[in-house]
Amino acid sequence: MNTFNFKKSQLAASVSLIIAASTLNTAIAAEAEADISAKPDVEIIEVKGIRGSLIRSMDMKRDSSGIVDAISSEEMGKFPDTNLAESLQRITGVSVSRANGEGSQITVRGFGPEFNLITLNGRQMPGTGYTRSYNLENVASEGVSALEVFKTARADVPSGGLGATVNISTARPFQKPGQNFSATVKANHDSSNEAGDDVTPEFSTVYSNTFVDDTFGFGFSFSHQERDFQKQSANIQGWQANVDLPELDSSNVVDNRTDSAGNYYFPKDMNYSIEDVERERTNGQVTFQFAPVDGFVATLDYTASKAVTGSQSIGWGIWNDFGSNINGYELDENGTAVYADISGNDASFTANKGTSEVKARSIGLNLDWEISDTWHVELDYHDSKNETDNGADNGLGSAGQVILGSDQLANKIYDYRTGEVPSAQVNWLNGTSELTPGEIDSNFSQFTHSPGESNIEQLQLHTTWYNESYDIGLVKVKFGASRTEQNTGGYTAWSGLVGGPGFNPSFTEIFPDSMFTRHDTSGLLDQFDGGGSDLQPNYYYTYDFDEAVARQIAYLTADVTGSDAYAANAYMDGIDSESYVEEITNSFYVQSSWEFDVSNYYVKVNAGLRYEQTDVTSTVRQRVEDQVNWISASEWIMQYAAGGDDNFLEQQGDYDVLLPSIDVSVDLTEDVVARVSWGKTMSRAPLGNLAGGRSLTGSPKPGSRTGSQGNTNLLPFESTNLDLSLEYYYAEGSYASVGYFKKDVDNFIQTTITQTTIDGLYDILNGPRYLQAVSDIESLGEQATTDAIFAQMIASGYGNANGVIEPSSDDPLITWNISQPQNTDSKSVDGFEVAVQHLIGETGFGIGVNATFVDGDVEFDSESLDQQAPLTGLSDSANFQGFYEKDGLSVKITYAWRDSYLIGVGQAQGSADAPPQYAKAYGQWDMSVNYDVNENVTVFFDGINLNNATEEGYGRYEEQFLFANQYGPRYSIGARYTF
């Protein structure tokens, strides 16, 4: 056996780097394969498995310019993790955010999903919905050959990745000439599942072949995955600062604030839910390659995916108004209400049903031509689309919500003094803390449909000149241009609140007792202290969504409710809002590569400059708001001008940026590499923020009078970056590295909330009729709760024929909290990255450990009620991987940890100070075991979230509970066949 260790020349290495950075074009690999096959005595040794993947990833890191990390597939059809996001979190500085218990989007060096660009074979991909963020859980890993994470600026890489640019490289037939095939089948079990199948299938196949002396190649990959699971949750939509408080007896108040005049905070609601989810994901790619002459390769590929998620959930909880509704409370030292006794409003049991679908497709053509030894040209075009639809339910055609419950309560008790999950007990007028089925009434239902679509057409030209004429250290000059046209848009249809909301009149007779099934909470959120049987309330009812809808359609007709007749139709009054954003970017770049010796040190320099000019056009449909009606004690509804013509508002913006970059690497010894990189990167403003125009909430309850307004003239985030790295490659597949990075970000975008009034929109709240009702109630010695005030105003004749209170010109104007994004000041982030990867000789054992520590002047100040623009996603993170691989057996165990981080600013029902949302620290253990039955067949077992990690979130302080989510471990067994 002859083993050859090939070392590329400087020219060949430069060429291979260009190819790896774009689409991993493999014409050179195919040529090398042909050269080797011409030597009959040569046997090619390909290191597969975990060890091979780590060696290839390390080699890519060492050979690249700038700070680049990579993950390579272990073998055809087998990526290290079942989810690309889960794989990426193994890379130093990368952490993930989760959706439905799976890795979904990535944060790099503290910069969240909106700051990172995802490309597919060097092509910019459209995001999901009104975001630039690409949801990685919708992409199967089987057809992927490598993931490359570019952490520093590169002139030849598409812009948009301020944190990093991640390139997903898919397999190409010319990468591995000849016939190759891999097929995998799995049986998956999610331990949380209750309503779906206990075992769900997953299968995939990858095939490629080359023909006619390797001048024609064909490949395809296909995968299908099903997952049924249950999500258990508790949540509060928002915390309100400094709400009105009544004068209470001191025995009903405990105030532990260090400053008795300081801020204080109350929860707007408290809810619990159980969601049963069925999810299917299908991915496929077809690739054709043609090399009619030496040096020319044409690649045509088509990629498509579809992810369908259907869910049904039941929830229950309370809603709070403040002021005179408050009977007593306890504040902790930071002013957070950990106990509150509140009257009025209602408690409810909510059923939700919906099916969402995300469809993506991309068709691309790449022409790669090595014209001569000195000239190389690559032309790449793709047309990609991403469609979302939350109305994929064939029967409903929308997402639906049915709310049943009662307002016949004495008071509600919120208590978060013990345990990890708050309790929200309701004391009913029936003298108990439990509502009977016969007392459950109709409140309201609502149906929404909001499809959207994002498209990108991109043309890129790359030209490379290799220097063979001048002995000046210049290796090559690469230059090119691109044009990217991105269009994003969609609309929303909302039924409003249908069915005569507000429990008045009562319709308890619609629902028979047999429709409701009582459950105790013994198995609910039992991974949390205070969950399970300790929850209050310790019961809940379930009911069938479709039956509840059918009964209300049959009973709540126009003869009974007039204009509030029940209909499960999101389009009752047409389309409510519509917006589109078009973004056109033209860019040009030049990049040079140099190699030379300085005092016996080998030095590589990569210097480049990229210029981009972007035009933005926003088109938004504007509805004409007329008035806000008070339709029940807890519900306020926006009314729109009858017959008013909606208009489309068009706004435009533009900007240009100049992005220089330089990377320098020095081989201090044969094994030690030092790097320094400086450059500018950018991320464009979120697409939703660029949609101009103003919209107001359709359900403007007190404390929730909100609206939003876009800003088409937003400038992009621009970051000036400095990276230092020292890397020690001391053995095959083994290295240690330490790095420092600093990012100074200009044009930071802050969402500012402005309190404003709008002519003609009057506020019944605190108007003369409202205040008179309060006075009338209090003169009788009664508590002026929201329910009592509404009832008193109706009794005083202020309701119309449908029992709805309409505003009067004597009322004050409504004060709206209008949020709008704006560019603000500069901010800075810096941090350290450390990583060790060690293969322990020939024992088969190996470990990998990395950690990232970040800091900066971008944190949220919880003590301040001023509106702020912090950086979301900033957190420390660490990863561990240990494995054994020998004699056909491989065992891998991984742990991923992420410290607490800021999810975002602003809460759904928070106050105008735009309070924060934090996620608590999260750590998850996974394991994979593979055994090679023979050279073609492998059987395996995977365990995900073995420690049953849960997700938790909070507001300004940990005592301001926001959410707790519980899923459960997942397991799969399967087999893989390859040849």
Side-chain angles (χ1 to χ4, degrees), residues 818-856:
I818 306 296
S819 61
Q820 183 178 35
Q822 297 177 345
N823 292 111
T824 57
D825 54 1
S826 301
K827 296 184 181 294
S828 179
V829 172
D830 67 344
F832 289 91
E833 296 179 337
V834 293
V836 175
Q837 179 176 295
H838 183 65
L839 306 183
I840 306 173
E842 300 300 322
T843 65
F845 288 96
I847 61 170
V849 182
N850 66 66
T852 303
F853 309 93
V854 295
D855 198 5

Side-chain angles (χ1 to χ4, degrees), residues 466-725:
Y466 298 98
N467 176 30
E468 294 186 351
S469 303
Y470 308 99
D471 187 15
I472 57 175
L474 176 63
V475 176
K476 66 176 182 288
V477 176
K478 185 177 182 181
F479 54 94
S482 66
R483 180 178 175 87
T484 305
E485 298 181 4
Q486 178 160 344
N487 292 276
T488 300
Y491 61 86
T492 297
W494 177 48
S495 64
L497 307 186
V498 299
F503 309 110
N504 187 19
S506 174
F507 296 114
T508 56
E509 66 273 17
I510 299 177
F511 313 109
D513 291 1
S514 60
M515 194 177 107
F516 302 98
T517 303
R518 185 190 183 280
H519 306 266
D520 63 56
T521 60
S522 57
L524 176 71
L525 298 170
D526 52 7
Q527 292 298 306
F528 297 95
D529 183 22
S533 299
D534 293 332
L535 272 180
Q536 292 295 333
N538 58 8
Y539 79 99
Y540 62 94
Y541 290 110
T542 59
Y543 57 91
D544 184 75
F545 176 94
D546 293 327
E547 180 180 357
V549 169
R551 287 183 177 277
Q552 292 179 91
I553 289 175
Y555 191 93
L556 299 177
T557 63
D559 293 337
V560 177
T561 61
S563 60
D564 287 327
Y566 194 99
N569 180 13
Y571 294 88
M572 290 182 64
D573 60 350
I575 293 175
D576 293 273
S577 63
E578 192 172 1
S579 63
Y580 303 91
V581 174
E582 179 186 64
E583 190 177 69
I584 299 176
T585 298
N586 295 303
S587 61
F588 307 89
Y589 76 89
V590 60
Q591 182 172 280
S592 62
S593 297
W594 304 73
E595 296 179 3
F596 45 83
D597 292 327
V598 177
S599 299
N600 296 321
Y601 293 106
Y602 177 58
V603 179
K604 293 195 300 184
V605 176
N606 190 301
L609 183 66
R610 188 178 185 95
Y611 171 78
E612 298 203 343
Q613 195 276 331
T614 301
D615 294 314
V616 181
T617 302
S618 164
T619 305
V620 176
R621 181 177 188 161
Q622 299 281 129
R623 298 199 73 185
V624 181
E625 297 99 351
D626 185 31
Q627 65 183 37
V628 175
N629 290 347
W630 194 8
I631 64 174
S632 72
S634 300
E635 304 301 334
W636 302 65
I637 297 297
M638 175 69 74
Q639 307 295 313
Y640 299 94
D645 293 330
D646 295 348
N647 61 83
F648 285 89
L649 173 67
E650 183 175 293
Q651 295 176 303
Q652 295 181 334
D654 64 85
Y655 57 85
D656 59 1
V657 293
L658 197 61
L659 305 173
S661 62
I662 183 169
D663 300 313
V664 180
S665 67
V666 181
D667 288 357
L668 300 180
T669 70
E670 186 178 352
D671 300 320
V672 178
V673 179
R675 303 181 194 271
V676 58
S677 296
W678 178 91
K680 292 189 68 175
T681 53
M682 56 91 81
S683 286
R684 294 176 175 83
L687 287 165
N689 289 352
L690 295 174
R694 187 202 69 209
S695 64
L696 303 176
T697 179
S699 182
K701 303 175 183 180
S704 304
R705 273 81 184 274
T706 59
S708 61
Q709 188 165 339
N711 186 349
T712 310
N713 286 296
L714 284 174
L715 298 175
F717 300 88
E718 294 185 43
S719 178
T720 302
N721 314 307
L722 174 66
D723 284 84
L724 304 173
S725 177

Side-chain angles (χ1 to χ4, degrees), residues 25-344:
N25 189 292
T26 54
I28 293 176
E31 183 178 344
E33 183 77 18
D35 291 343
I36 295 171
S37 62
K39 301 180 177 67
D41 296 330
V42 174
E43 180 176 345
I44 302 169
I45 297 178
E46 181 182 0
V47 183
K48 296 183 178 181
I50 302 171
R51 184 185 182 94
S53 173
L54 294 178
I55 291 173
R56 288 190 296 274
S57 298
M58 188 193 77
D59 290 344
M60 292 175 70
K61 176 181 178 68
R62 180 170 186 169
D63 294 339
S64 297
S65 297
I67 311 299
V68 179
D69 285 291
I71 297 178
S72 174
S73 62
E74 296 179 12
E75 54 191 85
M76 185 177 187
K78 185 179 187 303
F79 216 68
D81 295 273
T82 57
N83 178 293
L84 292 183
E86 302 284 354
S87 290
L88 281 167
Q89 73 176 340
R90 314 297 175 207
I91 287 179
T92 310
V94 179
S95 52
V96 302
S97 54
R98 300 177 184 277
N100 295 324
E102 296 183 60
S104 173
Q105 297 177 337
I106 62 169
T107 293
V108 182
R109 293 175 163 183
F111 288 84
E114 66 273 23
F115 295 101
N116 302 301
L117 178 68
I118 305 293
T119 62
L120 180 68
N121 296 321
R123 301 161 177 165
Q124 182 178 336
M125 288 290 103
T128 303
Y130 278 98
T131 72
R132 302 183 190 275
S133 304
Y134 197 68
N135 286 353
L136 291 167
E137 80 270 20
N138 292 334
V139 182
S141 61
E142 284 76 12
V144 175
S145 61
L147 293 173
E148 304 157 299
V149 180
F150 299 90
K151 297 180 180 177
T152 52
R154 290 277 295 269
D156 62 337
V157 173
S159 66
L162 186 151
T165 297
V166 178
N167 184 48
I168 303 171
S169 297
T170 58
R172 295 287 191 255
F174 285 172
Q175 280 180 315
K176 193 174 182 181
Q179 182 170 250
N180 304 278
F181 176 79
S182 173
T184 303
V185 292
K186 290 183 184 181
N188 300 315
H189 170 65
D190 197 309
S191 62
S192 69
N193 176 67
E194 293 291 340
D197 295 329
D198 286 335
V199 177
T200 56
E202 180 177 352
F203 53 88
S204 63
T205 183
V206 183
Y207 173 83
S208 69
N209 203 350
T210 55
F211 311 92
V212 195
D213 295 327
D214 296 337
T215 60
F216 180 78
F218 169 74
F220 74 85
S221 64
F222 176 83
S223 69
H224 178 79
Q225 179 196 66
E226 297 180 16
R227 180 188 171 204
D228 295 348
F229 63 97
Q230 184 178 92
K231 174 183 176 181
Q232 299 179 358
S233 302
N235 75 87
I236 289 174
Q237 294 185 78
W239 286 80
Q240 303 234 328
N242 302 331
V243 300
D244 291 336
L245 295 176
E247 292 291 336
L248 296 174
D249 188 277
S250 60
S251 62
N252 294 326
V253 176
V254 178
D255 190 345
N256 295 308
R257 287 178 293 172
T258 54
D259 178 5
S260 60
N263 298 316
Y264 55 90
Y265 311 89
F266 278 75
K268 191 62 179 172
D269 60 356
M270 182 68 223
N271 303 282
Y272 311 90
S273 68
I274 298 174
E275 181 180 13
D276 292 306
V277 184
E278 296 183 359
R279 176 174 165 82
E280 294 185 6
R281 184 192 69 193
T282 304
N283 291 76
Q285 183 178 62
V286 177
T287 305
F288 298 91
Q289 288 191 289
F290 182 47
V293 296
D294 289 344
F296 179 83
V297 177
T299 303
L300 177 67
D301 57 75
Y302 180 81
T303 305
S305 67
K306 183 170 76 170
V308 181
T309 304
S311 70
Q312 293 198 67
S313 67
I314 189 74
W316 60 100
I318 60 173
W319 172 270
N320 299 322
D321 277 333
F322 304 114
S324 58
N325 284 28
I326 298 176
N327 305 315
Y329 56 87
E330 178 180 336
L331 304 178
D332 69 3
E333 62 275 6
N334 58 47
T336 298
V338 294
Y339 170 87
D341 180 343
I342 303 176
S343 297

